[in-house]
Amino acid sequence: MSFFGFGQSAEIDIVLDGQENRRTAEIKTEDGKKEKYYLYFDGETVSGKVNVTLKKSGSKLEHQGIKIEFIGQIELYYDRGNHHEFTSLVKELARPGDLTQNTSYNFEFSQVEKPYESYTGANVRLRYFLRVTIVKRISDTVKEQDIVVHTLSQYPEMNSSIKMEVGIEDCLHIEFEYNKSKYHLKDVIVGKIYFLLVRIKIRYMELAIVRRETTGAGPNTFNENETIAKYEIMDGAPVRGESIPIRLFLSGYELTPTMRDINKKFSVRYYLNLVLVDEEERRYFKQQEITIFRRADKVRKNYQAALSHHNPSLLSDGSSARAAQQQQQQQQERQQNEEAEEDEKEDENDEEEK
């Protein structure tokens, strides 16, 4: 019995398999700070070891069972009492009994589904975490460890461009064009603004990236707009027939992929906001939605292709695939780190060339 501080207690430590070679990713906490966690993808196995260390030697710890859970949940800040779990898996590590010495337990959540990307916003948080619970009569001992999940997407290299004409009758008429409607997180927005009619004195023009976070539904819908980036396109008055180029690099900004109707709880959308300001401080603007996605790493595609080429049956037989992944896990993770670094260097070189 551990009432009033007497009796046995324990510390819990969660060690993930291959964590020394696993990549990490940053995510914001509720207070705006950034923390690093181990990075996982959809369908990837989450496995490791739970170490239970007794604080007092020579004394036993009575418990009603030890379990580990893998949880994916959405927390709406205006409804903190309710955590909406979209993924919940449980494994029993030990049946009720006594712990007389430090003990380790292996666990594995095989090929676990992680349908959404980790996200911390103004009014909502989506997180994945492991929770170990030692069930006791009076108060349970609980340890949680977060992980970060990234979702990968692939779109055609040539996706449709955005062309629009906007203006005010007999005062202003402009045509603008963006090269694509879908951009990956390290992409470059390329476009141009063409002035067909200018009869107002424009002081400057800027392009902004706006993130709109929508939570709730119906009359309880909340929209939170945040300007992520501002890019001055022009300073001074344009003339008729003038064409202004746009080149905006996305890699320097803290963006997430577009998220639409996540578990019917929230959405995150991005807009390009073209703003013109005249000499009397009147503002004219036009908004256009774009899609932002996380591009699949080349290493992941190459690994899957090599795996299927080496033995096509591995991809059709789930058990064989898991065995092969376990055998080649360490080699894959080393390749992942090396080729990811090369991929980032290639992206930087591409941006410099552009």
Side-chain angles (χ1 to χ4, degrees):
M1 189 172 179
S2 57
F3 198 52
F4 296 123
F6 297 103
Q8 183 62 277
S9 58
E11 288 186 352
I12 303 170
D13 187 32
I14 303 172
V15 181
L16 296 167
D17 284 342
Q19 66 180 32
E20 62 277 0
N21 295 317
R22 181 168 289 279
R23 292 167 62 187
T24 58
E26 286 186 341
I27 194 165
K28 278 186 179 180
T29 57
E30 285 186 59
D31 55 8
K33 295 179 181 178
K34 290 182 181 178
E35 292 188 358
K36 283 188 176 182
Y37 296 106
Y38 293 109
L39 175 63
Y40 285 82
F41 296 92
D42 183 26
E44 196 171 358
T45 294
V46 180
S47 61
K49 185 180 293 186
V50 174
N51 297 324
V52 179
T53 304
L54 300 179
K55 290 185 177 180
K56 297 178 182 178
S57 59
S59 177
K60 67 180 180 180
L61 174 66
E62 295 180 14
H63 64 85
Q64 306 301 311
I66 303 173
K67 64 180 179 178
I68 184 168
E69 301 166 87
F70 180 84
I71 297 172
Q73 78 178 16
I74 296 171
E75 180 184 356
L76 300 169
Y77 295 163
Y78 61 81
D79 186 21
R80 286 185 178 270
N82 294 318
H83 293 165
H84 306 278
E85 295 184 359
F86 55 86
T87 295
S88 181
L89 303 172
V90 184
K91 300 251 184 208
E92 186 182 79
L93 299 178
R95 293 182 178 182
D98 298 337
L99 280 181
T100 57
Q101 60 184 5
N102 299 339
T103 311
S104 293
Y105 303 96
N106 294 319
F107 70 89
E108 179 181 62
F109 294 99
S110 181
Q111 297 182 319
V112 62
E113 183 181 1
K114 310 174 200 70
Y116 312 120
E117 173 140 343
S118 300
Y119 175 76
T120 302
N123 296 313
V124 63
R125 176 169 67 153
L126 189 154
R127 62 187 285 239
Y128 294 86
F129 60 97
L130 292 163
R131 178 196 289 152
V132 176
T133 305
I134 301 177
V135 183
K136 296 186 290 184
R137 288 182 181 176
I138 297 176
S139 62
D140 296 343
T141 302
V142 179
K143 172 67 180 265
E144 292 183 356
Q145 179 163 321
D146 283 72
I147 64 169
V148 173
V149 171
H150 282 175
T151 56
L152 305 177
S153 303
Q154 187 64 43
Y155 289 93
E157 287 295 325
M158 296 297 293
N159 57 53
S160 58
S161 60
I162 301 172
K163 291 183 181 180
M164 293 189 73
E165 291 186 13
V166 295
I168 306 165
E169 189 174 355
D170 297 329
C171 292
L172 177 69
H173 188 190
I174 64 175
E175 187 179 87
F176 64 88
E177 179 181 349
Y178 305 121
N179 62 329
K180 293 185 288 190
S181 58
K182 300 177 178 67
Y183 298 88
H184 63 77
L185 291 171
K186 295 182 180 180
D187 218 334
V188 184
I189 296 174
V190 178
K192 63 179 179 179
I193 311 291
Y194 187 67
F195 292 87
L196 302 171
L197 176 65
V198 184
R199 286 183 179 167
I200 57 175
K201 294 182 178 179
I202 297 175
R203 193 153 61 87
Y204 68 90
M205 180 191 295
E206 66 183 18
L207 183 65
I209 300 175
V210 177
R211 176 163 58 213
R212 178 174 299 161
E213 179 185 290
T214 305
T215 53
N220 297 320
T221 300
F222 298 90
N223 286 316
E224 186 78 28
N225 291 332
E226 181 184 0
T227 300
I228 304 297
K230 278 188 178 180
Y231 173 74
E232 188 174 276
I233 299 170
M234 181 194 68
D235 185 10
V239 296
R240 180 179 177 180
E242 189 170 358
S243 180
I244 308 293
I246 298 170
R247 187 176 293 272
L248 176 59
F249 293 86
L250 298 180
S251 58
Y253 303 106
E254 294 182 1
L255 302 171
T256 68
T258 295
M259 303 179 184
R260 291 187 174 88
D261 197 23
I262 300 300
N263 204 236
K264 298 182 179 179
K265 294 293 184 292
F266 73 98
S267 297
V268 179
R269 290 181 165 89
Y270 288 90
Y271 298 84
L272 291 177
N273 196 19
L274 183 66
V275 182
L276 289 82
V277 182
D278 67 14
E279 291 187 346
E280 296 179 7
E281 291 297 324
R282 288 177 297 202
R283 300 170 72 86
Y284 311 90
F285 64 90
K286 183 67 178 178
Q287 237 177 40
Q288 176 64 42
E289 184 176 0
I290 59 172
T291 298
I292 295 180
F293 64 95
R294 188 179 300 281
R295 188 171 58 179
D297 285 347
K298 291 176 183 177
V299 60
R300 288 180 63 80
K301 292 187 289 184
N302 290 346
Y303 173 72
Q304 292 292 348
L307 192 62
S308 62
H309 178 73
H310 177 69
N311 189 347
S313 65
L314 293 180
L315 298 183
S316 58
D317 177 17
S319 60
S320 298
R322 286 194 296 274
Q325 285 175 343
Q326 289 170 355
Q327 289 173 2
Q328 300 185 29
Q329 185 177 16
Q330 290 187 346
Q331 182 180 355
Q332 176 198 2
E333 287 167 351
R334 283 195 295 271
Q335 278 184 326
Q336 238 179 352
N337 289 333
E338 293 171 2
E339 296 189 27
E341 289 175 4
E342 291 176 7
D343 197 17
E344 288 176 7
K345 289 178 183 178
E346 286 177 14
D347 285 336
E348 289 173 4
N349 292 336
D350 289 344
E351 289 176 5
E352 289 175 1
E353 289 173 5
K354 287 177 181 176

